[in-house]
């Protein structure tokens, strides 16, 4: 139900004829919980904090954390301009082994940007976990940044299931 066809501009600026609307599965509490339960199994040993990326990664991280029983951080695209003025809200990330949680990975650009920012805050980030890896160079880009990508689903697997 999340797989759309048409013409879509992606975050990376690329265009695609296929788009996974993550908000369709994130808005379904039963489906999201099932995905989260399976993702929790993929969490690398030693992970201390789960960090979900704005916006789609926030619902995913909250759901995964319920199964993993780990504290969560909510990572903004830009630091809040008032109040706490934080980029990363919730659990403290400094000095802790942090797993980045994302919904969809395409080029890997957003995970790399947010990981750099988390590292500046003192987090130790070696891994990321996503719901869907579109298999368009994301895992390679992450590897260059020292991040291993684990995915619950790949684009190839989803296409094979249709
Ligand atoms: O691997 P990349 O090429 O960086 O692309 C994937 C990113 O693009 C989408 O974010 P978008 O900005 O559309 O998302 P939001 O609705 O979650 O804010 C998705 O949630 C990833 O964050
Ligand atoms: O690369 C993206 O921006 C992107 C691709 C996709 O399939 N779904 C999504 O939410 N974002």
């Amino acid at each position: 139900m999340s797989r759309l066809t048409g013409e879509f501009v992606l975050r990376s600026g690329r265009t695609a004829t296929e788009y996974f609307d993550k908000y369709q599965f994130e808005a379904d509490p039963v489906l999201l919980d099932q995905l989260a339960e399976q993702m929790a199994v993929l969490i690398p040993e030693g992970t201390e904090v789960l960090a979900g990326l704005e916006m789609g990664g926030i619902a995913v991280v909250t759901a995964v954390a319920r199964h993993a029983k780990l504290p969560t951080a909510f990572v903004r695209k830009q630091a809040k301009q008032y109040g706490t003025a934080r980029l990363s809200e919730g659990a403290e990330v400094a000095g802790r082994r942090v797993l980045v949680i994302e919904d969809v990975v395409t080029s890997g650009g957003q995970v790399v940007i947010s990981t750099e920012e988390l590292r500046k805050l003192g987090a130790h980030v070696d891994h990321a976990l996503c719901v869907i890896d579109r298999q368009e160079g994301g895992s390679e880009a992450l590897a260059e940044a020292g991040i291993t990508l684990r995915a619950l689903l790949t684009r190839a697997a989803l296409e094979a299931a249709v």
Side-chain angles (χ1 to χ4, degrees), residues 75-122:
V75 182
R76 299 178 184 279
K77 288 190 167 91
Q78 289 185 329
K80 192 164 173 168
Q81 298 296 302
Y82 52 91
T84 56
R86 293 182 70 172
L87 177 91
S88 178
E89 305 275 5
E92 183 55 66
V93 296
R96 298 171 99 180
R97 280 168 294 190
V98 174
L99 174 67
V100 169
I101 302 275
E102 183 57 295
D103 44 28
V104 180
V105 168
T106 303
S107 71
Q110 186 60 54
V111 171
V112 170
I113 290 167
S114 296
T115 295
E116 281 171 5
E117 291 173 335
L118 285 165
R119 285 174 174 163
K120 279 186 203 153
L121 294 172

Side-chain angles (χ1 to χ4, degrees), residues 38-47 99-105 111 126-134 138-139 142-143 147-154:
Q38 294 172 43
M39 287 177 78
V41 177
L42 301 176
I43 294 173
E45 209 172 319
T47 298
L99 174 67
V100 169
I101 302 275
E102 183 57 295
D103 44 28
V104 180
V105 168
V111 171
D126 296 324
H127 305 282
L129 174 60
C130 66
V131 183
I132 301 172
D133 176 5
R134 287 179 56 109
S139 62
L142 267 57
I147 312 157
T148 303
L149 178 66
R150 296 183 181 189
L152 178 64
L153 300 163
T154 61

Side-chain angles (χ1 to χ4, degrees), residues 1-4 19-28 31-32 35 53-57 59-60 77 102-104 131-132:
M1 73 176 176
S2 302
R3 185 169 174 264
L4 310 178
Y19 188 82
F20 297 100
D21 179 5
K22 68 275 186 106
Y23 295 117
Q24 295 307 309
F25 60 73
E26 294 190 24
D28 179 330
L31 182 54
L32 179 61
L35 296 172
L53 307 188
E54 180 191 359
M55 179 165 105
V60 177
K77 288 190 167 91
E102 183 57 295
D103 44 28
V104 180
V131 183
I132 301 172

